[in-house]
Amino acid sequence: MAESFFIRKTVNINHDNSYNEAAIDLGAYVDALSSTVLTIHRVDVAFTDSSGRALSMVTADTASVAQFQLLTQTQQDIVRLDNKALICSGKIESYTPSVASSPLAAISTTAYDIAPQSFTNGYIVATENIYLGGSASTNFAGNVYVSVMIEASVTKMTQNKAMSLALSQQ
C-alpha cells in the first residue's frame, strides 16, 4: 500500500436547517489524464462549536441533529445513500435534559450512514474537488462546525479507467 497522508477541512454548517458546503481541492493529488487518483481509506468527523468545544443546546429537554456529507459533486442539500456522488455521510444526535445545570448535550451519538473504512479497499476519487457539506437543526445554541480528517493515498490506474471514473463521479 502507498504511503497515506491526511487532508483536513472544517465547514460552518450554521444551526438554521440550511445546507452549507465547501470545496476541498484535490488538484495536487488527482490527475485523471496522468492516471493518478486518490484512494480515501478513512474519514473521521467531529461536530463542535467555533472553538472546537462540545456543542451546547438552547433550551432544556431538547434534541438536535446535525448531518454531514462528503461528495464528489457539489449539492444543494443533503442527499440519500443512492446518490452516486456520495463518499461518506453521517450525523450527530444530541439531547440535554437541563440547560440550567449544563447547557452541554448530556447525550450525544455520532453515527455514519456510510464511510470508506467500511469498504475493503477504500473509496477511489478521480475528481479534482470533493465537497464537505452539512446542515444543523435550530436547537443548538450556536453555529455547528463539522470537521473531517481524511486518510488517503495516491493510486495509479490506467488512463482509461481513471477518465471513466472521473466522468462517472461528475
Side-chain angles (χ1 to χ4, degrees), residues 6-81:
F6 296 92
I7 300 167
R8 293 171 171 85
K9 184 71 173 182
T10 299
V11 174
N12 176 0
I13 60 171
N14 295 319
H15 65 290
D16 59 2
N17 289 316
S18 66
Y19 180 75
N20 297 278
E21 175 184 90
I24 301 172
D25 182 4
L26 300 179
Y29 315 109
V30 174
D31 184 352
L33 289 174
S34 297
S35 309
T36 305
V37 295
L38 188 77
T39 300
I40 298 176
H41 304 284
R42 180 177 186 88
V43 177
D44 289 300
V45 64
F47 293 92
T48 66
D49 69 9
S50 63
S51 65
R53 293 184 178 268
L55 296 169
S56 298
M57 307 297 254
V58 173
T59 60
D61 197 28
T62 58
S64 279
V65 175
Q67 295 175 267
F68 87 99
Q69 57 190 17
L70 191 63
L71 308 122
T72 59
Q73 298 174 12
T74 186
Q75 301 294 319
Q76 299 301 310
D77 205 347
I78 299 292
V79 299
R80 294 188 326 241
L81 195 60

Side-chain angles (χ1 to χ4, degrees), residues 64-121:
S64 279
V65 175
Q67 295 175 267
F68 87 99
Q69 57 190 17
L70 191 63
L71 308 122
T72 59
Q73 298 174 12
T74 186
Q75 301 294 319
Q76 299 301 310
D77 205 347
I78 299 292
V79 299
R80 294 188 326 241
L81 195 60
D82 62 348
N83 187 301
K84 70 177 183 169
L86 188 64
I87 299 168
C88 182
S89 66
K91 65 182 170 284
I92 185 173
E93 296 174 342
S94 300
Y95 171 76
T96 188
S98 170
V99 172
S101 62
S102 175
L104 297 178
I107 301 169
S108 284
T109 58
T110 304
Y112 286 103
D113 299 320
I114 192 70
Q117 52 265 37
S118 303
F119 306 126
T120 303
N121 296 314

